[in-house]
Amino acid sequence: MVYDGIILGLIVGFFRGGLKHGLVQFSNIRLKAGWMFPLLLVFQFFMFYIQERSSIVAAASGYIYIAVYVVGLIFLWFNRHSKGFWLVMAGVFLNFLVMLVNGGRMPVSYEAASVLEPVYLEMLQSGDAVTKHYLMDASTRLSFLGDIIPLSSPYPRTQAISIGDVVMNLGIFLYILHIMTPAAADLKSQPEVQG
């Protein structure tokens, strides 16, 4: 769900900051160890692909996802002084915590998963879904931090999300909005247009 905060931040940022200013500011984003974020995203996509084809990788996937979260938290810590990053870090940590106590996988409630494609729900129920998700059961720890929030129409994307996802995306939204919106001092320094 990380894309939702980015997309919403971009849309509102363009409205508030203007197309030209918003694009210039967005292109000037500089983060410490910024290479880590796209690398982690690519690695997770690679994991989704390879774990369905390798039983060894599938068996170790829980530990691998935990390691990915640890690296992600380190990246966020490096950039903690950026606006919104404390919220992003808090959201990621909540997701990390629930996955850590559940063997490296994110629990999904049946109620939240019911909005997803029937085939995915069936895979969750049968345990055949070889991903970082599994269907919540009586043994699930910290279940309130799992994917318990269903999103469907009129929301543009049907998905099940966690409290951590909400907090993380709020932080991403605030960061992008802050970057793309002119500061009050910049607005005051602009010459007034005489009518």
Side-chain angles (χ1 to χ4, degrees):
M1 194 202 169
V2 65
Y3 308 109
D4 299 50
I6 294 174
I7 292 169
L8 187 59
L10 286 171
I11 292 170
V12 177
F14 283 133
F15 273 111
R16 292 194 59 189
L19 182 62
K20 182 179 178 182
H21 177 86
L23 282 175
V24 170
Q25 291 300 100
F26 191 75
S27 67
N28 288 332
I29 289 177
R30 298 292 180 267
L31 295 171
K32 294 179 182 176
W35 55 269
M36 292 173 73
F37 179 69
L39 185 65
L40 289 175
L41 284 180
V42 170
F43 182 76
Q44 286 200 69
F45 284 127
F46 173 75
M47 277 294 298
F48 290 146
Y49 174 80
I50 200 70
Q51 68 183 1
E52 293 182 356
R53 292 159 177 80
S54 170
S55 58
I56 296 173
V57 174
S61 63
Y63 300 105
I64 296 171
Y65 285 123
I66 291 299
V68 167
Y69 268 84
V70 169
V71 175
L73 285 167
I74 292 170
F75 163 72
L76 293 171
W77 178 258
F78 287 158
N79 294 281
R80 64 191 180 277
H81 300 300
S82 299
K83 186 177 182 68
F85 265 66
W86 275 106
L87 279 174
V88 178
M89 192 159 50
V92 171
F93 179 76
L94 291 176
N95 286 345
F96 166 75
L97 183 61
V98 69
M99 289 179 67
L100 181 66
V101 299
N102 288 288
R105 294 191 299 163
M106 173 63 81
V108 185
S109 74
Y110 180 84
E111 291 75 17
S114 63
V115 301
L116 304 174
E117 292 290 331
V119 63
Y120 186 71
L121 183 56
E122 289 171 11
M123 290 174 70
L124 279 172
Q125 288 177 304
S126 65
D128 292 335
V130 186
T131 65
K132 65 178 183 179
H133 298 91
Y134 80 99
L135 195 61
M136 209 175 276
D137 56 33
S139 67
T140 300
R141 298 175 179 177
L142 301 180
S143 57
F144 68 97
L145 292 178
D147 286 343
I148 60 171
I149 306 169
L151 291 179
S152 58
S153 184
Y155 195 79
R157 292 202 306 145
T158 299
Q159 55 189 320
I161 64 171
S162 66
I163 295 170
D165 290 333
V166 175
V167 175
M168 174 183 64
N169 275 277
L170 177 60
I172 292 171
F173 170 77
L174 292 174
Y175 171 71
I176 292 178
L177 191 62
H178 173 72
I179 290 295
M180 296 181 69
T181 304
D186 294 338
L187 293 175
K188 289 179 182 176
S189 65
Q190 293 178 1
E192 292 184 10
V193 178
Q194 300 295 326

